[in-house]
Amino acid sequence: MWNNLFETEYVKGQEVTPEEIQQFLTTWNEKLSEAEVDEIVSRQSNPFPVSHELHSQYQPFDPTLWVIPQKQLPASYIEFLKYSNGGEFQNGERYFQFFSTNQFREYNLAYELPEYMEAAVSFAMDGCGNHYLFDMREDMKHNEYPILVAHSGYLDYEGCVQVANSFLELCTGRTSMDDEMNKRWE
């Protein structure tokens, strides 16, 4: 199925072995390690100069309070990983930069998703700063989560848009995520 799904395959990732899939499925949503917490904390700094009135109000967030969803990923997404571990694809104006299994957790933590959109999990971007996200606030329906899109600069449920009801529906869509986001404001 995946061989004929995308109009353009810019970069197809390696196929993932069953062992690699199992390792990924047991580690993507583990509790943050001490090293991960330390790295996240070290990136935080007060964005306001000392002379600014908001400088004294700045409070860094505490990544030890983050909750990573303890849910299964959709089978359709796992099947895609078996076909291509990450990669870049396109249908119409819809562009995908899928995370590899090695990037998946790293990118979710780097973009601080658990801080801004608890229960949303990013699995790809569109090349324009928009994240494709599994919305895990509720249980799966028909073995799928709704797919949201949110911009890196506004990772919030108020600023996101649902663009598909399933991973496959997302992959077969043809409109750009910027166009999908703009529909919200029309």
Side-chain angles (χ1 to χ4, degrees), residues 126 128-130 149 151 175-183:
D126 73 342
C128 295
N130 296 308
V149 65
H151 193 274
T175 56
S176 75
M177 289 303 100
D178 284 342
D179 288 346
E180 293 292 331
M181 295 288 279
N182 288 335
K183 288 179 187 177

Side-chain angles (χ1 to χ4, degrees), residues 155-169:
L155 293 172
D156 190 287
Y157 284 108
E158 289 182 13
C160 71
V161 174
Q162 182 175 333
V163 293
N165 291 311
S166 70
F167 181 70
L168 185 57
E169 180 184 338

Side-chain angles (χ1 to χ4, degrees), residues 28-32 66-71 105 109 114 121:
W28 77 267
N29 59 356
E30 288 181 329
K31 182 179 175 186
L32 270 66
W66 288 359
V67 176
I68 299 174
Q70 297 301 302
K71 297 187 175 188
R105 179 179 173 90
L109 297 181
V121 177

Side-chain angles (χ1 to χ4, degrees), residues 1 7 9-10 51 64 128 131 177:
M1 170 179 77
E7 288 176 2
E9 286 188 359
Y10 295 104
S51 60
T64 64
C128 295
H131 288 262
M177 289 303 100

Side-chain angles (χ1 to χ4, degrees), residues 3-126:
N3 281 329
N4 302 316
L5 189 71
F6 299 103
E7 288 176 2
T8 308
E9 286 188 359
Y10 295 104
V11 177
K12 182 183 174 295
Q14 298 278 13
E15 294 179 17
V16 181
T17 68
E19 295 79 23
E20 290 170 323
I21 286 286
Q22 189 57 43
Q23 174 72 14
F24 169 66
L25 294 177
T26 58
T27 59
W28 77 267
N29 59 356
E30 288 181 329
K31 182 179 175 186
L32 270 66
S33 69
E34 195 173 310
E36 289 170 327
V37 169
D38 290 346
E39 197 277 323
I40 293 163
V41 168
S42 74
R43 289 194 313 247
Q44 297 182 60
S45 64
N46 194 329
F48 304 104
V50 175
S51 60
H52 195 281
E53 62 189 46
L54 295 177
H55 180 81
S56 63
Q57 295 176 27
Y58 169 75
Q59 293 291 320
F61 53 79
D62 182 356
T64 64
L65 301 176
W66 288 359
V67 176
I68 299 174
Q70 297 301 302
K71 297 187 175 188
Q72 293 182 347
L73 295 169
S76 58
Y77 175 69
I78 302 306
E79 289 303 313
F80 171 76
L81 287 175
K82 291 176 183 176
Y83 167 72
S84 180
N85 187 10
E88 296 183 28
F89 303 86
Q90 188 166 358
N91 273 334
E93 297 298 314
R94 189 165 294 184
Y95 185 73
F96 301 94
Q97 295 172 317
F98 291 105
F99 305 154
S100 70
T101 55
N102 291 334
Q103 296 169 323
F104 190 94
R105 179 179 173 90
E106 175 187 341
Y107 284 12
N108 276 273
L109 297 181
Y111 281 98
E112 303 163 348
L113 258 297
E115 177 70 20
Y116 302 114
M117 294 183 76
E118 187 174 312
V121 177
S122 181
F123 58 88
M125 295 185 76
D126 73 342

